[in-house]
Structures are given as C-alpha cells and as structure tokens.
Amino acid sequence: MKRPKLKKASKRVSCAKRYKIQKKVREHNRKLRKEAKKKGVSKRVKKDIGVPNSAPFKEEVLREAEQRRLKVGSSSCSPLSQVIDASDVVLEVLDARDPLGCRCPQLEEAVLQRGGNKKLLLVLNKIDLVPKENVERWIQCLQQEFPVVAFKASTLIRDKTVSRIDPSNEIQDKSRGAVCFGNGCLTELLSTYADNLQNEATLKVGVVGFPNVGKSSLINSIKGVMACNVGIKRGMTKLMQEVHILKNVKAIDSPGVVASPSNPPASMALRSLQVEEGSESALEAVRTLLKQCDKTQIMLQYTIPDYKNSLEFLTLLAKKRGFLQKGGVPNTEQAAITFLADCTGAKLSYHCKAPENLSLPAYMSDAVVAEMRNSWALNKLKAGNEETLKGVKFPSQSSSISFISKGPTAGLLSASDISEEKPAAAATEVEAEQNDENNEVTIDGQLPDNTAV
C-alpha cells in the first residue's frame, strides 16, 4: 500500500545528526563558562535560608547580624538622614489601616530637632481599605499634633508613558482602580506654601515612612507617571531619588525606615524587612499577625471554615488558592507569603480603633503643634479632605477586619541606635508568644520539629 503524502515535513533526524547537535551545544556552553571565568563572573549566589527556628539564641544571632549589616554600609540609614537634612517639608506616609503603628517617634523627633524651620505633614494613605467612620476618627485624632492629608494613591500606573487619569471617569472602579484621590489637595497645599516662601528656590519635600506604606506610589500619583519603582515586595526603594512634581516643588523619595529589633513581633511582621531578607520565617509572621486579628472576620474575608491555629489556617488557604506541592500537599509557605502580601499591600481591608484621648509624646508640646500648623492653609486642607472622603468608595464596617495595634514603631536612623539588650517589655512579650506557641496544636495534634506556627 502506498504511503500517503504528508502535509508537513517530519521533524525526525538521524541519530548521528542529533548527537552532533548535542556535542555542539556542550562545546558552546563550555566556551561560555570559560569566558565567564576569565571575566571573574561567579555563579549565582544561593538564597540565604536564614536561622533555623530550633537554633539556640536565635534572637541574639539575628541582632548581631543586623548590627553587622548596618555597620558595613549603613545603606538603609544614611539616605534617610540625607533626605531629612535636604527637605524643607517632610511628609510622613502612614497606612490608614494602622496609622499609629506606622508612626516612628525617632523619625518625628529628628525632623523637629533639625534646624531651618522644617515642617512635618502626615499623609494618611490607603484610605480606601478602611471604613469611612474609622478614617474620619483618625484624621481628628492625628491632626491634634500635625496637619493630616487624606490620600488614596493610584495603583495602575505602570510606566513612564501613562498620562494622568481623570477621576471623573465613572466607568473605573474608584475603590481599587487607578483613580487617585487627595493629590489635588496635597499639591495645592504644597504649592501655596512654596509661593509664601518668597524666594525662587524650589521647595524640597521629603517623603518618608516605613516600608510598603506607599511612599513611591504617592509620588507617582502626584506626578502622573511612574517616576519611582513600586511593588508588593517591601524595600523596593534603596536610595534617595528626586522627582519634580510641580514647577516649584521637588519630591525626594527615600528608603523605608529600619524597624528596631526591640519592637513587638506584630510590629516587626508588618514594618520590617526580615521576611524578605530571609532572617524571619513567613510562617512565624503569619502566626503573630493572626493573634492581632478577629478570627471570625478572617474566616469571612478568606471564605474558609473554622481553624484551630495558624498552620491549619494556612493549610486551608493553600487548598482554597490551589497552592499545592507534589502529591497534593498544601504549600503553607506560599500561603503565608500571600497573606503577608495582602496585609502589607493594597488588598486586605483591616482597621484599628483610634484612641479617644491621645496624649502628646515627650518631643511634642503646644508650642511645637502651633509651629507645625503655622503657614499652612488649614481651611483649604479641611475642605480638600472632605472632598476626598466624598469621592472614595469605602468598605463597610462588617467587611473590614478589626486589628489590634501595638502603638508607634521604634525606628533606627543610624547604626549606633541599635541597643545591646532587648527591653524588658519586648522580652516579656516574646516569652508570652513562645508560651502561646507551645499551647498550640496542629491538625495531627503535634507541632512540627523545625517550624513555629
């Protein structure tokens, strides 16, 4: 029988030709390795796995490593001090979900102690993730010390060719979309202040705060293009960067404030870069944060059944999201990273209760409060905040998770700020966390050997 004619040529080759091709590929790869060796290019460095949970004196080892990292280059602290020195106005960006936890007393005190009549403004970012009543209470509470600007940064600016997005477009989702709210109020406030200086020098505005509060997103939203790199991962900004946002106003982007190791574990899980740098397990951070959240609201937010502990929560979340390893085993590590990204990124809605009576810190006084309010158009600021709150689509109180704040987070502005010993309060809380960890049981009734969840 005659073989029918094939429509396409066969891709099969003889063994001799296939072996010849494989030999050529091996020779080519060998040549590339020799050239890389001559140029001194080393192999890709493997990721540091960090300190195991079972290792003794883990806290001391991590603290010594942090001291060495800061002393070698001080790359995370020096730019921040430079930004404060070079700025006429400092914007401290706060996450509206935990405004008090985003405040750094050391940073605010350093700004107030600098000369040159520097001004400090508080920018309450990510207001679209908090119920409206809670945002209003926080504005009233915080403005007792500094002027407060309500803000919602744009989340869809991707490159330098994107033009400013029109907020009047009703088709876009105002709660999670690309529309920015509060930029008009902030730019008018800064422009008016710059005009009142009566000099031709450009007003320099430093943008500071802890990692992932939205410093770079704020600058991009005001500029209308992606002038600074942004991302879900914390610590995207490594060096200071100047960006002209107005004709007579220049913004200075800065790296995130380094959180002190003496802070409570819950504050470190949200404000530090330990998880990204591999010095802390994502499972530990999730276990700490879940104790600060309302359990019932967590179940409703992620649509999962009741869970006994953090490991079971991550197991259920991994199954629901399809995070499975070989053999269908739930990938709890990936689920933990996802949960942390929701907490620090612009996705998960949670809120903290604003204190009714907020006393002034030691570095503040009535004279300082009056000085910080001087030279600002406070009437325009109030009207601008009211206009911002009218335009943003807020989540309801029932759909937002109640979160217990640990108060202001201590920050490090230089390597010498690291204390040799951990404060007694922090040590007591760590012991309590360990006791709670020992009381937890997993699905099988036993704790893993090398994982604290």
Side-chain angles (χ1 to χ4, degrees), residues 91-141:
L91 302 181
E92 186 178 13
V93 184
L94 310 179
D95 191 328
R97 296 173 291 184
D98 185 13
L100 197 60
C102 294
R103 294 188 63 175
C104 178
Q106 292 75 15
L107 173 64
E108 296 178 359
E109 187 175 6
V111 175
L112 297 178
Q113 290 179 351
R114 295 292 204 278
N117 193 25
K118 296 182 184 296
K119 299 293 184 180
L120 181 61
L121 287 177
L122 300 181
V123 179
L124 202 61
N125 194 21
K126 303 182 182 181
I127 59 174
D128 60 314
L129 301 176
V130 182
K132 183 177 181 180
E133 300 80 7
N134 193 262
V135 174
E136 292 174 344
R137 286 196 295 267
W138 273 112
I139 293 177
Q140 295 175 0
C141 178

Side-chain angles (χ1 to χ4, degrees), residues 295 298-299 302-324 330-332 335 443:
K295 182 179 180 180
I298 286 285
M299 295 164 54
Y302 286 94
T303 321
I304 59 174
D306 190 12
Y307 57 91
K308 297 179 180 178
N309 48 56
S310 57
L311 180 59
E312 187 173 356
F313 165 75
L314 294 176
T315 302
L316 295 172
L317 181 60
K319 290 181 179 179
K320 184 173 181 59
R321 297 290 179 89
F323 301 152
L324 303 177
N331 191 341
T332 55
I443 302 175

Side-chain angles (χ1 to χ4, degrees), residues 15-190:
C15 292
K17 187 174 182 180
R18 183 168 67 251
Y19 296 150
K20 185 177 180 180
I21 294 174
Q22 293 175 356
K23 183 179 178 181
K24 290 290 185 181
V25 171
R26 288 195 299 269
E27 291 177 354
H28 177 71
N29 293 334
R30 191 182 302 113
K31 182 179 179 181
L32 293 179
R33 287 195 297 269
K34 287 183 178 180
E35 294 178 354
K37 189 176 181 180
K38 292 179 180 179
K39 295 179 180 179
V41 180
S42 59
K43 294 182 179 180
R44 184 176 181 180
V45 181
K46 294 183 179 180
K47 183 180 179 180
D48 185 11
I49 61 175
V51 182
N53 299 326
S54 58
F57 311 107
K58 178 180 178 180
E59 294 293 333
E60 288 76 5
V61 173
L62 294 177
R63 185 156 52 250
E64 292 177 2
E66 184 72 10
Q67 291 177 355
R68 289 194 299 268
R69 185 178 68 85
L70 292 176
K71 289 181 180 179
V72 169
S74 298
S75 59
S76 300
C77 302
S78 297
L80 182 60
S81 299
Q82 295 175 6
V83 170
I84 296 176
D85 293 333
S87 302
D88 303 311
V89 177
V90 177
L91 302 181
E92 186 178 13
V93 184
L94 310 179
D95 191 328
R97 296 173 291 184
D98 185 13
L100 197 60
C102 294
R103 294 188 63 175
C104 178
Q106 292 75 15
L107 173 64
E108 296 178 359
E109 187 175 6
V111 175
L112 297 178
Q113 290 179 351
R114 295 292 204 278
N117 193 25
K118 296 182 184 296
K119 299 293 184 180
L120 181 61
L121 287 177
L122 300 181
V123 179
L124 202 61
N125 194 21
K126 303 182 182 181
I127 59 174
D128 60 314
L129 301 176
V130 182
K132 183 177 181 180
E133 300 80 7
N134 193 262
V135 174
E136 292 174 344
R137 286 196 295 267
W138 273 112
I139 293 177
Q140 295 175 0
C141 178
L142 295 174
Q143 68 183 3
Q144 297 177 12
E145 301 179 32
F146 301 102
V148 182
V149 180
F151 201 87
K152 177 207 173 290
S154 175
T155 58
L156 293 183
I157 296 180
R158 291 291 179 262
D159 52 54
K160 295 183 179 181
T161 62
V162 177
S163 59
R164 188 179 299 274
I165 300 171
D166 185 12
S168 62
N169 189 354
E170 298 294 338
I171 300 178
Q172 298 169 346
D173 183 7
K174 294 185 178 182
S175 61
R176 297 291 187 271
V179 181
C180 173
F181 289 94
N183 58 336
C185 174
L186 183 57
T187 53
E188 184 179 2
L189 197 68
L190 295 175

